[in-house]
Amino acid sequence: MKFFIDTADIEEIRGLTATGMLDGVTTNPSLIAKSGRVFKEVIAEICEIVDGPVSAEVIALDAEGMITQGRDLAKIAKNVTVKVPLTWAGLEACSTLSKEGTLVNVTLCFSANQALLAAKAGATFISPFVGRLDDLNLDGMELIEDIRQIYDNYEFKTEILVASIRTANHVKEAALIGADVATLPPQVLRQLINHQLTDKGLEAFMADWKKTGQNL
Ligand code: E4P
């Protein structure tokens, strides 16, 4: 499973790159606003740090505008992945940009039929938002299972990029289902390592080592 982080915070990206766990980055207009940075500048900087796909979302709502913006964003770096919303205009833009060889991430997916449309439009990634479905007392992971089944039935190459992840458990469940990618808030990625028995065990080993009086 590939791990992307869902942030436009350069320091977070640098820190997590050093762990060797980062396969890419996703951003959205809300995360760009939170960063307080100029959109294209921050995307260019992320692309210099990370080798993998870096999602940058178009703002236009019509297909022509999305295609123009997508082409423009794709010029920033070869790993820019143009993010388009799951609308008919977004699918049209996805189809055109994908045929030109641009990586495309279709975002704001909340149903299996939407994911089917995105795969048919040639999306590189589909982003189903599990946390926002859970917030409505729906089952986000059930959607991931459905998309996995549909994509496997027809051997679609579109990668399932699980988005709107809120917990470490979301990551485990998505991995068990066989999702291709999870995009994680930085704090959730850091939480994945936590186990109290690891901490206790290490503490005991260190205390016993001290008793040996040896140095290494
Ligand atoms: C992914 O590409 C989205 O930007 C993100 O996962 C949305 O997460 P949220 O529902 O926590 O805003």
Side-chain angles (χ1 to χ4, degrees):
M1 177 183 240
K2 289 176 230 172
F3 284 163
F4 292 179
I5 49 166
D6 199 31
T7 184
D9 183 325
I10 295 290
E11 288 321 306
E12 288 281 23
I13 294 167
R14 273 192 214 288
L16 287 166
T17 299
T19 67
M21 290 294 152
L22 262 208
D23 301 298
V25 172
T26 51
T27 66
N28 63 35
S30 309
L31 293 169
I32 297 294
K34 195 173 158 198
S35 77
R37 299 273 316 271
V38 176
F39 181 32
K40 287 187 193 170
E41 282 178 18
V42 78
I43 294 296
E45 205 173 330
I46 297 171
C47 288
E48 275 175 23
I49 301 168
V50 178
D51 291 333
V54 174
S55 289
E57 191 160 340
V58 297
I59 305 304
L61 295 176
D62 62 304
E64 202 183 321
M66 288 186 202
I67 292 165
T68 305
Q69 290 179 0
R71 285 177 181 150
D72 193 36
L73 290 169
K75 281 185 201 143
I76 296 175
K78 63 174 186 343
N79 50 335
V80 164
T81 301
V82 176
K83 213 176 185 189
V84 299
L86 221 158
T87 59
W88 286 114
L91 293 176
E92 193 181 323
C94 173
S95 176
T96 300
L97 293 167
S98 298
K99 282 185 192 129
E100 293 173 0
T102 299
L103 301 171
V104 181
N105 176 0
V106 180
T107 190
L108 291 169
C109 171
F110 294 95
S111 81
N113 280 333
Q114 288 180 327
L116 178 56
L117 293 172
K120 285 178 70 68
T124 318
F125 300 104
I126 180 68
S127 288
F129 279 35
V130 294
R132 293 192 194 187
L133 284 168
D134 289 358
D135 289 345
L136 298 179
N137 277 333
L138 296 167
D139 188 346
M141 281 302 152
E142 198 175 284
L143 174 59
I144 305 304
E145 279 174 13
D146 289 350
I147 299 173
R148 180 74 283 158
Q149 175 81 59
I150 290 167
Y151 282 11
D152 288 351
N153 285 349
Y154 297 98
E155 296 181 4
F156 283 121
K157 297 281 174 266
T158 301
E159 294 190 36
I160 303 173
L161 194 173
V162 182
S164 189
I165 282 181
R166 305 271 161 80
T167 64
N169 218 31
H170 274 152
V171 181
K172 184 183 86 174
E173 288 174 24
L176 283 169
I177 293 166
D180 303 282
V181 191
T183 189
L184 316 176
Q187 72 276 15
V188 175
L189 179 48
R190 288 205 188 82
Q191 281 166 11
L192 296 184
I193 203 165
N194 292 349
H195 201 290
Q196 58 175 337
L197 291 180
T198 304
D199 299 340
K200 272 177 104 173
L202 185 58
E203 208 178 298
F205 285 156
M206 290 303 102
D208 290 340
W209 174 253
K210 213 171 171 187
K211 288 179 206 157
T212 69
Q214 297 179 42
N215 280 319
L216 201 63

Tab-separated table of all heavy atoms in Angstrom, residues 5-7 25-31 55 57 83 105 107-108 110 127-133 135 161-166 183-185, ligand 1:
chain	number	residue	atom	x	y	z
A	5	ILE	N	0.635	11.857	1.982
A	5	ILE	CA	0.109	12.676	3.081
A	5	ILE	C	-0.708	13.823	2.513
A	5	ILE	O	-0.428	14.352	1.436
A	5	ILE	CB	1.123	13.199	4.128
A	5	ILE	CG1	2.313	13.845	3.487
A	5	ILE	CG2	1.511	12.145	5.109
A	5	ILE	CD1	3.119	14.640	4.517
A	6	ASP	N	-1.726	14.140	3.289
A	6	ASP	CA	-2.744	15.091	2.885
A	6	ASP	C	-2.444	16.421	3.569
A	6	ASP	O	-3.001	16.713	4.635
A	6	ASP	CB	-4.090	14.510	3.356
A	6	ASP	CG	-5.284	15.114	2.645
A	6	ASP	OD1	-5.140	15.500	1.477
A	6	ASP	OD2	-6.369	15.170	3.259
A	7	THR	N	-1.557	17.191	2.970
A	7	THR	CA	-1.147	18.453	3.592
A	7	THR	C	-0.393	19.312	2.580
A	7	THR	O	0.161	18.787	1.610
A	7	THR	CB	-0.220	18.205	4.819
A	7	THR	OG1	0.072	19.446	5.452
A	7	THR	CG2	1.101	17.557	4.424
A	25	VAL	N	1.871	13.076	-2.205
A	25	VAL	CA	1.197	14.115	-1.404
A	25	VAL	C	-0.119	14.466	-2.088
A	25	VAL	O	-0.201	14.473	-3.328
A	25	VAL	CB	2.092	15.384	-1.296
A	25	VAL	CG1	1.354	16.537	-0.639
A	25	VAL	CG2	3.374	15.081	-0.525
A	26	THR	N	-1.138	14.734	-1.281
A	26	THR	CA	-2.377	15.294	-1.838
A	26	THR	C	-2.619	16.650	-1.179
A	26	THR	O	-2.324	16.848	-0.005
A	26	THR	CB	-3.600	14.380	-1.582
A	26	THR	OG1	-3.663	14.039	-0.191
A	26	THR	CG2	-3.536	13.116	-2.411
A	27	THR	N	-3.154	17.563	-1.991
A	27	THR	CA	-3.578	18.858	-1.445
A	27	THR	C	-4.991	19.109	-1.958
A	27	THR	O	-5.477	18.389	-2.840
A	27	THR	CB	-2.670	20.026	-1.909
A	27	THR	OG1	-2.826	20.205	-3.326
A	27	THR	CG2	-1.213	19.767	-1.591
A	28	ASN	N	-5.635	20.077	-1.385
A	28	ASN	CA	-6.938	20.533	-1.893
A	28	ASN	C	-7.019	22.025	-1.592
A	28	ASN	O	-6.148	22.558	-0.878
A	28	ASN	CB	-8.093	19.718	-1.283
A	28	ASN	CG	-8.201	19.866	0.228
A	28	ASN	OD1	-7.937	20.931	0.773
A	28	ASN	ND2	-8.580	18.803	0.919
A	29	PRO	N	-8.007	22.738	-2.129
A	29	PRO	CA	-8.051	24.188	-1.908
A	29	PRO	C	-8.088	24.569	-0.426
A	29	PRO	O	-7.508	25.593	-0.033
A	29	PRO	CB	-9.338	24.614	-2.634
A	29	PRO	CG	-9.481	23.590	-3.722
A	29	PRO	CD	-9.028	22.294	-3.107
A	30	SER	N	-8.720	23.755	0.417
A	30	SER	CA	-8.777	24.072	1.850
A	30	SER	C	-7.385	23.980	2.471
A	30	SER	O	-7.002	24.817	3.306
A	30	SER	CB	-9.726	23.104	2.579
A	30	SER	OG	-10.967	23.048	1.925
A	31	LEU	N	-6.610	22.972	2.067
A	31	LEU	CA	-5.257	22.805	2.622
A	31	LEU	C	-4.317	23.916	2.119
A	31	LEU	O	-3.442	24.375	2.865
A	31	LEU	CB	-4.695	21.423	2.260
A	31	LEU	CG	-5.422	20.243	2.915
A	31	LEU	CD1	-4.981	18.912	2.287
A	31	LEU	CD2	-5.168	20.208	4.421
A	55	SER	N	-0.827	15.851	-5.802
A	55	SER	CA	-2.115	16.308	-6.331
A	55	SER	C	-2.314	17.798	-6.143
A	55	SER	O	-2.144	18.326	-5.039
A	55	SER	CB	-3.270	15.572	-5.635
A	55	SER	OG	-3.313	14.230	-6.032
A	57	GLU	N	-5.306	20.682	-7.171
A	57	GLU	CA	-6.700	20.697	-7.635
A	57	GLU	C	-7.050	21.921	-8.477
A	57	GLU	O	-6.672	23.050	-8.133
A	57	GLU	CB	-7.620	20.631	-6.400
A	57	GLU	CG	-9.079	20.379	-6.731
A	57	GLU	CD	-9.858	19.838	-5.536
A	57	GLU	OE1	-9.243	19.307	-4.579
A	57	GLU	OE2	-11.093	19.941	-5.563
A	83	LYS	N	-5.962	17.326	-10.001
A	83	LYS	CA	-7.129	16.837	-9.261
A	83	LYS	C	-8.368	17.529	-9.811
A	83	LYS	O	-8.418	18.767	-9.883
A	83	LYS	CB	-6.938	17.198	-7.791
A	83	LYS	CG	-7.504	16.218	-6.806
A	83	LYS	CD	-7.130	16.691	-5.401
A	83	LYS	CE	-7.540	15.730	-4.344
A	83	LYS	NZ	-7.371	16.303	-3.002
A	105	ASN	N	-6.270	12.770	-10.691
A	105	ASN	CA	-6.905	12.251	-9.479
A	105	ASN	C	-8.334	12.807	-9.451
A	105	ASN	O	-8.522	14.026	-9.389
A	105	ASN	CB	-6.102	12.739	-8.259
A	105	ASN	CG	-6.718	12.353	-6.932
A	105	ASN	OD1	-7.756	11.708	-6.869
A	105	ASN	ND2	-6.065	12.768	-5.851
A	107	THR	N	-11.548	13.512	-7.519
A	107	THR	CA	-11.793	13.671	-6.084
A	107	THR	C	-13.281	13.866	-5.768
A	107	THR	O	-14.103	14.014	-6.660
A	107	THR	CB	-10.952	14.855	-5.549
A	107	THR	OG1	-11.017	14.857	-4.123
A	107	THR	CG2	-11.450	16.209	-6.056
A	108	LEU	N	-13.584	13.830	-4.469
A	108	LEU	CA	-14.953	13.989	-3.970
A	108	LEU	C	-15.846	12.846	-4.458
A	108	LEU	O	-16.975	13.070	-4.892
A	108	LEU	CB	-15.530	15.353	-4.366
A	108	LEU	CG	-14.881	16.548	-3.654
A	108	LEU	CD1	-15.309	17.870	-4.297
A	108	LEU	CD2	-15.250	16.565	-2.160
A	110	PHE	N	-18.129	9.703	-3.623
A	110	PHE	CA	-18.937	9.197	-2.502
A	110	PHE	C	-19.794	7.993	-2.886
A	110	PHE	O	-20.612	7.549	-2.089
A	110	PHE	CB	-19.814	10.331	-1.930
A	110	PHE	CG	-18.990	11.418	-1.294
A	110	PHE	CD1	-18.640	12.552	-2.005
A	110	PHE	CD2	-18.528	11.287	0.010
A	110	PHE	CE1	-17.855	13.550	-1.435
A	110	PHE	CE2	-17.740	12.277	0.591
A	110	PHE	CZ	-17.405	13.412	-0.130
A	127	SER	N	-10.503	9.148	-5.625
A	127	SER	CA	-10.421	9.471	-4.195
A	127	SER	C	-11.779	9.389	-3.508
A	127	SER	O	-12.526	10.384	-3.456
A	127	SER	CB	-9.857	10.890	-4.004
A	127	SER	OG	-8.500	10.936	-4.310
A	128	PRO	N	-12.123	8.219	-2.956
A	128	PRO	CA	-13.337	8.116	-2.140
A	128	PRO	C	-13.052	8.646	-0.738
A	128	PRO	O	-12.020	8.336	-0.154
A	128	PRO	CB	-13.621	6.607	-2.103
A	128	PRO	CG	-12.453	5.929	-2.729
A	128	PRO	CD	-11.427	6.928	-3.104
A	129	PHE	N	-13.967	9.458	-0.207
A	129	PHE	CA	-13.772	10.140	1.081
A	129	PHE	C	-14.458	9.337	2.194
A	129	PHE	O	-15.657	9.521	2.457
A	129	PHE	CB	-14.390	11.542	1.031
A	129	PHE	CG	-13.540	12.593	0.366
A	129	PHE	CD1	-12.726	12.298	-0.714
A	129	PHE	CD2	-13.580	13.906	0.823
A	129	PHE	CE1	-11.949	13.280	-1.333
A	129	PHE	CE2	-12.807	14.902	0.219
A	129	PHE	CZ	-11.986	14.593	-0.855
A	130	VAL	N	-13.720	8.497	2.893
A	130	VAL	CA	-14.358	7.630	3.895
A	130	VAL	C	-14.818	8.397	5.137
A	130	VAL	O	-15.913	8.137	5.642
A	130	VAL	CB	-13.444	6.443	4.290
A	130	VAL	CG1	-13.235	5.497	3.123
A	130	VAL	CG2	-12.105	6.897	4.838
A	131	GLY	N	-13.990	9.309	5.630
A	131	GLY	CA	-14.334	10.007	6.872
A	131	GLY	C	-15.613	10.820	6.757
A	131	GLY	O	-16.446	10.822	7.667
A	132	ARG	N	-15.778	11.490	5.605
A	132	ARG	CA	-16.986	12.320	5.455
A	132	ARG	C	-18.240	11.458	5.362
A	132	ARG	O	-19.327	11.905	5.746
A	132	ARG	CB	-16.851	13.232	4.226
A	132	ARG	CG	-15.756	14.266	4.412
A	132	ARG	CD	-15.789	15.337	3.359
A	132	ARG	NE	-14.538	16.092	3.378
A	132	ARG	CZ	-14.306	17.179	2.672
A	132	ARG	NH1	-15.244	17.668	1.877
A	132	ARG	NH2	-13.133	17.807	2.739
A	133	LEU	N	-18.110	10.213	4.853
A	133	LEU	CA	-19.263	9.292	4.850
A	133	LEU	C	-19.547	8.818	6.282
A	133	LEU	O	-20.703	8.803	6.717
A	133	LEU	CB	-18.999	8.090	3.934
A	133	LEU	CG	-19.120	8.363	2.437
A	133	LEU	CD1	-18.570	7.200	1.626
A	133	LEU	CD2	-20.575	8.627	2.031
A	135	ASP	N	-18.972	10.383	8.926
A	135	ASP	CA	-19.558	11.518	9.663
A	135	ASP	C	-21.080	11.539	9.537
A	135	ASP	O	-21.777	12.082	10.395
A	135	ASP	CB	-19.030	12.858	9.112
A	135	ASP	CG	-17.567	13.088	9.458
A	135	ASP	OD1	-17.041	12.384	10.330
A	135	ASP	OD2	-16.949	13.980	8.833
A	161	LEU	N	-7.495	5.513	-4.077
A	161	LEU	CA	-6.743	6.380	-3.162
A	161	LEU	C	-7.714	6.758	-2.037
A	161	LEU	O	-8.555	7.642	-2.211
A	161	LEU	CB	-6.266	7.610	-3.948
A	161	LEU	CG	-5.211	8.546	-3.382
A	161	LEU	CD1	-4.809	9.574	-4.428
A	161	LEU	CD2	-5.628	9.247	-2.118
A	162	VAL	N	-7.612	6.070	-0.927
A	162	VAL	CA	-8.576	6.299	0.162
A	162	VAL	C	-8.281	7.647	0.814
A	162	VAL	O	-7.168	7.883	1.289
A	162	VAL	CB	-8.516	5.156	1.195
A	162	VAL	CG1	-9.555	5.373	2.291
A	162	VAL	CG2	-8.733	3.817	0.510
A	163	ALA	N	-9.287	8.526	0.809
A	163	ALA	CA	-9.109	9.892	1.304
A	163	ALA	C	-10.039	10.159	2.480
A	163	ALA	O	-10.889	9.318	2.810
A	163	ALA	CB	-9.387	10.880	0.171
A	164	SER	N	-9.839	11.316	3.093
A	164	SER	CA	-10.631	11.703	4.258
A	164	SER	C	-10.483	10.669	5.378
A	164	SER	O	-11.433	10.324	6.062
A	164	SER	CB	-12.112	11.870	3.858
A	164	SER	OG	-12.870	12.425	4.882
A	165	ILE	N	-9.240	10.210	5.531
A	165	ILE	CA	-8.921	9.240	6.594
A	165	ILE	C	-8.802	9.992	7.912
A	165	ILE	O	-8.183	11.056	7.974
A	165	ILE	CB	-7.625	8.486	6.217
A	165	ILE	CG1	-7.968	7.414	5.177
A	165	ILE	CG2	-6.922	7.912	7.445
A	165	ILE	CD1	-6.810	6.582	4.719
A	166	ARG	N	-9.397	9.431	8.952
A	166	ARG	CA	-9.382	10.125	10.251
A	166	ARG	C	-8.638	9.346	11.319
A	166	ARG	O	-8.245	9.913	12.332
A	166	ARG	CB	-10.832	10.338	10.735
A	166	ARG	CG	-11.718	11.072	9.751
A	166	ARG	CD	-11.643	12.592	9.970
A	166	ARG	NE	-12.097	13.324	8.796
A	166	ARG	CZ	-13.360	13.530	8.474
A	166	ARG	NH1	-14.327	13.069	9.241
A	166	ARG	NH2	-13.674	14.202	7.391
A	183	THR	N	-4.280	8.315	1.671
A	183	THR	CA	-3.710	9.643	1.936
A	183	THR	C	-4.070	10.041	3.353
A	183	THR	O	-5.245	10.059	3.737
A	183	THR	CB	-4.104	10.704	0.885
A	183	THR	OG1	-3.312	11.886	1.146
A	183	THR	CG2	-5.585	11.061	0.861
A	184	LEU	N	-3.037	10.294	4.148
A	184	LEU	CA	-3.222	10.431	5.589
A	184	LEU	C	-2.899	11.832	6.083
A	184	LEU	O	-1.888	12.419	5.646
A	184	LEU	CB	-2.263	9.488	6.331
A	184	LEU	CG	-2.104	8.071	5.818
A	184	LEU	CD1	-1.051	7.328	6.599
A	184	LEU	CD2	-3.417	7.349	5.942
A	185	PRO	N	-3.682	12.339	7.027
A	185	PRO	CA	-3.222	13.539	7.720
A	185	PRO	C	-1.906	13.161	8.425
A	185	PRO	O	-1.770	12.021	8.905
A	185	PRO	CB	-4.329	13.804	8.750
A	185	PRO	CG	-5.518	13.038	8.265
A	185	PRO	CD	-4.979	11.853	7.525
B	1	E4P	C1	-7.892	14.075	-0.203
B	1	E4P	O1	-7.381	14.250	-1.294
B	1	E4P	C2	-8.671	15.105	0.485
B	1	E4P	O2	-7.960	16.299	0.332
B	1	E4P	C3	-8.815	14.845	1.962
B	1	E4P	O3	-8.487	13.521	2.290
B	1	E4P	C4	-10.096	15.332	2.554
B	1	E4P	O4	-10.117	15.029	3.926
B	1	E4P	P1	-11.156	15.694	4.959
B	1	E4P	O5	-12.498	15.066	4.740
B	1	E4P	O6	-10.614	15.355	6.308
B	1	E4P	O7	-11.165	17.167	4.663
